[in-house]
Amino acid sequence: MSEASQNFSNPEPPLAFALPLLFCPLLVLAWIYGGVVLLLAPAFGYVIVSIVDFIIGENRKNQIDVASDTGKYKLILFAWPLIQFFLLFGSIISICWFNHLTALEAFILMSVQGMITGAVGITFAHELMHQKTKLERFLADVLMAMAIYGHFRTEHVFVHHRYVGTKKDAVTARFNESFYTFFLRVIPQCFISAWSVEAQKLATKNKSTFNLANPFYTYAALASLFVLLSFIIGGTWGVTLFSIQALVAILHLEVVNYIEHYGLSRKKISENKYEPTKPHHSWNANHAASNLLLINLQKHSDHHARPSKTYPTLSAYDEESAPQLPFGYPVMVVFSLIPFLWRRVMNPKVIKWRKQFYPEVEEWTSLS
């Protein structure tokens, strides 16, 4: 395995992954002052982290699995639902109960809140939904409900991980597909595929699709609870504010989905069978600072190859084993929103990936 250089070490200490907590004081300052202070959180998440990535470069060390046995790395995962609840509804209260922010400032504040919900909350939810305990999966549902996107857990665990790199996976972005086309395609397709999976699971137990065991009831109940709370705080204006941040959070989620597998395909072995998912079926990024902010989400190659691994133990694959993004997610998100720039940067990399891992394949439409 060309996993970096077989250079194993202990994972970064748990405190290193507490970087997202810096969003808390930045958002509170935005509540109080508004104006340019509203831009501090996105400046930190996108600009400062990217600059630090450039300065300190990549962390290509592979982590020792035993370190994940300690619960210290889960503390921030367990704490974040409460923290995000405070941030989200604190933002709505600061707008609805005080009159110091203009309508434009309110929109920007909730967009910034949506950035935090999407970039941090959904990233943490992603980690939690892969765990075995009901508590962890419930906390994932709570975080996803704040984006009104609970069905993501079903779709991600039971559809995406099974069919990644194939036409059966809506979330695998097609070669040359723009993010905007991708977004309009995946929103309905992911909901439909998630509903179908849960219906099939219930059918195997001789239960109706509308049986209370269907997790869509949980998804809907939690989202409704948060919408109701928003209404209690600020009426229809409160619901509007909640919806703005939810939409921005969903955009953050799906733009990352777009980046993670763009143009990559698994080889079809037979009519209904594909080769196993390997590290080279996901774009990988070993950039140190952004991986701390996103609890190693960018080490996506190892996550798909071994989805049971916890975030501090994900390994850093090199270019011999997995395709590499030129920058961390903060920069790649910006690129993905500019289709001509995205294609100029990424299409040559996809073509290089094809020649590197599938030199024998001439017709690519047959792969996915």
Side-chain angles (χ1 to χ4, degrees):
M1 159 179 158
S2 225
E3 229 176 304
S5 58
Q6 292 281 13
N7 182 17
F8 288 92
S9 66
N10 288 320
E12 292 82 0
L15 189 60
F17 292 104
L19 198 58
L21 292 177
L22 290 178
F23 281 120
C24 299
L26 297 179
L27 196 66
V28 171
L29 287 173
W31 297 349
I32 299 170
Y33 296 106
V36 295
V37 178
L38 292 165
L39 303 179
L40 290 179
F44 164 66
Y46 280 97
V47 181
I48 295 175
V49 168
S50 297
I51 291 173
V52 176
D53 264 345
F54 179 78
I55 294 172
I56 66 178
E58 299 182 7
N59 179 358
R60 294 202 171 197
K61 294 180 179 179
N62 294 308
Q63 315 305 342
I64 300 172
D65 284 352
V66 294
S68 64
D69 292 338
T70 173
K72 294 180 181 178
Y73 289 94
K74 292 188 177 183
L75 288 177
I76 191 165
L77 299 178
F78 290 158
W80 191 259
L82 184 60
I83 294 171
Q84 185 166 294
F85 180 90
F86 166 75
L87 294 178
L88 172 53
F89 290 101
S91 294
I92 297 175
I93 288 172
S94 72
I95 294 169
C96 295
W97 291 7
F98 304 92
N99 297 314
H100 65 303
L101 298 178
T102 66
L104 177 60
E105 288 175 318
F107 175 81
I108 295 173
L109 175 58
M110 295 315 296
S111 297
V112 172
Q113 174 60 59
M115 178 201 76
I116 297 171
T117 301
V120 181
I122 293 180
T123 297
F124 286 10
H126 168 260
E127 178 71 18
L128 288 163
M129 67 182 61
H130 277 286
Q131 306 312 311
K132 296 179 180 179
T133 71
K134 289 183 178 180
L135 173 61
E136 287 167 303
R137 293 197 297 271
F138 177 73
L139 291 176
D141 290 344
V142 169
L143 288 170
M144 294 308 306
M146 293 188 202
I148 322 178
Y149 217 60
H151 65 279
F152 174 72
R153 177 165 70 86
T154 293
E155 194 280 333
H156 181 81
V157 175
F158 297 104
V159 181
H160 176 58
H161 270 270
R162 181 177 180 182
Y163 295 115
V164 63
T166 76
K167 285 183 177 178
K168 293 182 179 181
D169 177 40
V171 176
T172 298
R174 305 347 181 189
F175 182 68
N176 249 353
E177 182 178 34
S178 74
F179 166 68
Y180 305 102
T181 302
F182 169 85
F183 184 74
L184 294 175
R185 178 173 61 79
V186 299
I187 291 298
Q189 287 184 7
C190 287
F191 184 88
I192 292 169
S193 63
W195 179 266
S196 298
V197 164
E198 295 299 348
Q200 292 168 13
K201 287 167 63 180
L202 289 166
T204 59
K205 300 176 183 178
N206 295 318
K207 294 181 179 180
S208 164
T209 302
F210 300 99
N211 188 281
L212 291 177
N214 190 330
F216 270 75
Y217 285 109
T218 300
Y219 304 155
L222 287 171
S224 298
L225 178 64
F226 293 135
V227 171
L228 176 61
L229 183 55
S230 301
F231 182 80
I232 292 171
I233 293 171
T236 55
W237 180 225
V239 174
T240 300
L241 295 170
F242 180 86
S243 301
I244 290 170
Q245 70 82 36
L247 176 59
V248 174
I250 294 168
L251 282 166
H252 271 78
L253 164 62
E254 295 301 356
V255 78
V256 169
N257 277 335
Y258 175 78
I259 292 167
E260 287 171 340
H261 305 282
Y262 174 78
L264 307 182
S265 304
R266 282 158 63 196
K267 195 169 185 178
K268 203 168 188 177
I269 298 174
S270 61
E271 184 61 29
N272 295 308
K273 189 175 181 180
Y274 295 87
E275 65 177 317
T277 303
K278 299 176 182 177
H280 65 259
H281 294 128
S282 306
W283 289 99
N284 192 70
N286 297 319
H287 302 82
S290 47
N291 265 315
L292 291 178
L293 182 68
L294 300 172
I295 58 169
N296 282 339
L297 180 67
Q298 299 174 145
K299 294 181 179 180
H300 211 59
S301 294
D302 198 24
H303 170 66
H304 267 275
R306 292 172 284 188
S308 62
K309 290 184 70 173
T310 55
Y311 77 87
T313 66
L314 291 172
S315 292
Y317 283 88
D318 65 14
E319 57 277 354
E320 294 181 20
S321 299
Q324 303 293 311
L325 292 172
F327 306 99
Y329 283 4
V331 174
M332 297 309 297
V333 165
V334 175
F335 281 9
S336 70
L337 299 179
I338 310 171
F340 82 89
L341 180 59
W342 173 263
R343 292 187 180 109
R344 170 177 274 187
V345 172
M346 292 302 296
N347 282 9
K349 291 184 174 294
V350 174
I351 293 170
K352 179 182 177 181
W353 171 86
R354 291 176 174 180
K355 293 178 180 178
Q356 179 180 357
F357 293 100
Y358 298 97
E360 75 284 3
V361 178
E362 298 180 0
E363 179 53 61
W364 278 86
T365 57
S366 64
L367 272 186
S368 57

